[in-house]
Amino acid sequence: MSDIKFEQRKSIEQVEESTELAPKFDQDGLIPVVTTDFNSGEVLMQGYMNEEAFKKTISFGEAIYYSRSRKTLWHKGKTSGLVQKIKEIRIDDDQDSVWLRVDVHGGASCHVGYRSCFYRSVPFGQSGSSVVLRFEEKEKVFDPKKVYGDAPNPTKL
Ligand SMILES: [Zn+2]
């Protein structure tokens, strides 16, 4: 078990200028996490951690998130093998946002099968009313049906 301890938030100086880790979790007990590829810098995904997930990520060295759709801890890649190995963890100025820099085993971070969850771009600055997304990744890294079988898709409508 992890015995990581977070500090109480005592002052702005402590939060911004000290070496104490005093993360702020929101009213749902969550902190947002941005995850990038350590080598390319590409944004892979955005998720959330609760206190337990953050502590386990720190002690274990692999990304463990909190799944809001499943309401449970989510050890990324445990099912698919596409584990995110932590290379660096950063916390922002007011300690209410986390940046994970990771190496991804298998090269994909998205359950749809793409390298990044942000595999589509939204065109902007054009006239007309309909927005047509553009696929920026042309091929999937893996076939989700083969990896997950009949497991429920975490995407909620
Ligand atoms: Zn995804």
Side-chain angles (χ1 to χ4, degrees):
M1 268 307 290
S2 77
D3 50 4
I4 303 286
K5 291 212 169 34
F6 296 150
E7 302 296 329
Q8 294 288 326
R9 292 168 70 88
K10 289 171 286 207
S11 69
I12 288 173
E13 189 184 8
Q14 172 225 18
V15 168
E16 290 183 347
E17 304 278 1
S18 85
T19 58
E20 294 185 5
L21 178 58
K24 182 172 193 172
F25 296 88
D26 67 15
Q27 62 276 8
D28 297 319
L30 303 177
I31 192 167
V33 183
V34 173
T35 304
T36 63
D37 184 281
F38 184 73
N39 292 308
S40 71
E42 183 177 28
V43 177
L44 297 175
M45 56 178 281
Q46 187 269 322
Y48 294 89
M49 294 190 295
N50 63 7
E51 199 168 322
E52 186 186 6
F54 195 11
K55 287 178 175 176
K56 284 188 167 167
T57 296
I58 290 170
S59 61
F60 196 56
E62 291 182 359
I64 296 168
Y65 300 92
Y66 179 81
S67 167
R68 292 181 304 169
S69 60
R70 285 172 277 179
K71 296 185 167 50
T72 180
L73 287 193
W74 166 36
H75 186 170
K76 178 78 185 165
K78 210 175 178 192
T79 306
S80 62
L82 305 169
V83 170
Q84 295 177 342
K85 291 275 183 193
I86 304 291
K87 303 289 281 184
E88 186 175 63
I89 303 172
R90 295 215 195 172
I91 188 99
D92 76 342
D93 43 16
D94 54 356
Q95 300 203 29
D96 67 355
S97 186
V98 174
W99 174 15
L100 299 183
R101 302 179 70 201
V102 303
D103 271 341
V104 182
H105 280 214
S109 280
C110 180
H111 77 276
V112 183
Y114 292 100
R115 202 170 63 240
S116 165
C117 289
F118 297 93
Y119 51 86
R120 290 168 296 185
S121 66
V122 181
F124 62 95
Q126 293 142 334
S127 55
S129 58
S130 70
V131 176
V132 180
L133 298 178
R134 194 167 71 201
F135 278 79
E136 301 297 340
E137 292 188 37
K138 304 301 179 199
E139 284 182 15
K140 294 189 179 185
V141 178
F142 69 93
D143 178 356
K145 286 195 192 77
K146 283 185 187 149
V147 171
Y148 302 111
D150 294 329
N153 191 313
T155 296
K156 290 278 178 284
L157 296 182

